[in-house]
Amino acid sequence: MAPARAPSSDPVRTTDRREQTQRRQEDRILEAASDEFRRSGLRHASIDKIAEDAGISRSTLYRRFPSKDELLGTVVVRFRRQFVREISEKVNGLDPRAAVVEAFCLGMSHVSHDDLLKRVLGDNPDTLDVLAGFSAPQVEDMVDEFSRGIVATLRAAGASMPDHQLRLAAEIQVRMVVSLITAPSRALDIDDEDALRDFAETLLAPMIW
């Protein structure tokens, strides 16, 4: 009887497994980095602690993320995408203007109470450009990420305005949230949920049609 053949390797399957392993490793790194930035802030965050919590070596971490700033930028982008998904899920089923109000109030609450964002803004205001995507090319990325969820939701709810106008309205509202958090207004109490809702209903919702 001929000896059994060893199973042939499948390069596609091997590549898939490698990519899955790398994605899981990156998720661990970003989770560990998020926790460390929340605990210690940007200036005092320990790369060694992040690597230890992620279960990897310091050299492996630096191969994936050559600098602390690059790691922070990836953490913030990941947070921003999760935030967009959360808002899209919570406004699902509302009419367009109600969705705008809810998204604004959720955004204000989320940004003002999230420890990571408070640490980032408090430790290094220059990172505002990374956080909000106010500097190119982050502006386009931010608008795309926000719009993909919100535009689809508002379309399903009955919004009829052109896509480019809806995208612009989304950007204006994101800028409004960050501006109110970083430079509080004397005319609007950002800790007063009723006042925020009234502001959104009166001035922001009419932007959507």
Side-chain angles (χ1 to χ4, degrees), residues 2-200:
R5 292 183 179 179
S8 60
S9 60
D10 183 340
V12 174
R13 188 170 299 175
T14 300
T15 300
D16 288 344
R17 283 198 298 267
R18 186 182 302 114
E19 290 176 352
Q20 290 172 4
T21 299
Q22 290 175 345
R23 282 196 296 269
R24 286 195 294 267
Q25 183 185 78
E26 181 168 305
D27 285 342
R28 291 199 307 272
I29 293 171
L30 296 179
E31 285 292 340
S34 296
D35 291 343
E36 176 62 4
F37 286 134
R38 283 187 170 96
R39 281 192 303 265
S40 306
L42 174 58
R43 293 175 183 172
H44 302 295
S46 167
I47 291 296
D48 288 334
K49 177 63 174 170
I50 293 171
E52 178 185 348
D53 290 348
I56 60 173
S57 67
R58 180 187 178 94
S59 59
T60 298
L61 177 57
Y62 273 120
R63 280 198 298 272
R64 300 297 296 274
F65 299 98
S67 70
K68 188 187 291 186
D69 286 345
E70 185 171 332
L71 178 56
L72 174 66
T74 306
V75 166
V76 171
V77 168
R78 181 172 180 259
F79 171 87
R80 201 168 61 206
R81 289 173 178 168
Q82 291 171 341
F83 180 45
V84 168
R85 284 196 299 270
E86 180 182 345
I87 287 182
S88 297
E89 290 169 0
K90 290 191 174 181
V91 304
N92 186 36
L94 299 178
D95 65 70
R97 293 191 173 184
V100 168
V101 173
E102 198 64 30
F104 175 77
C105 292
L106 284 169
M108 288 297 299
S109 175
H110 212 67
V111 173
S112 62
H113 293 100
D114 186 88
D115 289 338
L116 174 61
L117 303 190
K118 288 191 290 187
R119 282 288 195 177
V120 170
L121 292 174
D123 281 8
N124 188 355
D126 292 340
T127 58
L128 178 60
D129 282 349
V130 177
L131 169 68
F134 282 8
S135 61
Q138 287 91 349
V139 169
E140 186 176 352
D141 292 341
M142 179 272 296
V143 173
D144 283 344
E145 290 165 13
F146 191 87
S147 297
R148 276 196 295 269
I150 298 301
V151 168
T153 299
L154 294 180
R155 282 281 177 263
S160 58
M161 62 195 299
D163 283 348
H164 71 280
Q165 292 182 4
L166 195 54
R167 287 166 61 88
L168 179 58
E171 180 179 341
I172 288 170
Q173 294 187 37
V174 171
R175 290 178 181 272
M176 182 77 68
V177 169
V178 177
S179 176
L180 287 170
I181 294 298
T182 56
S185 168
R186 294 181 179 179
L188 178 63
D189 183 356
I190 63 174
D191 295 319
D192 185 337
E193 185 176 345
D194 290 337
L196 288 176
R197 191 167 293 275
D198 181 66
F199 169 78

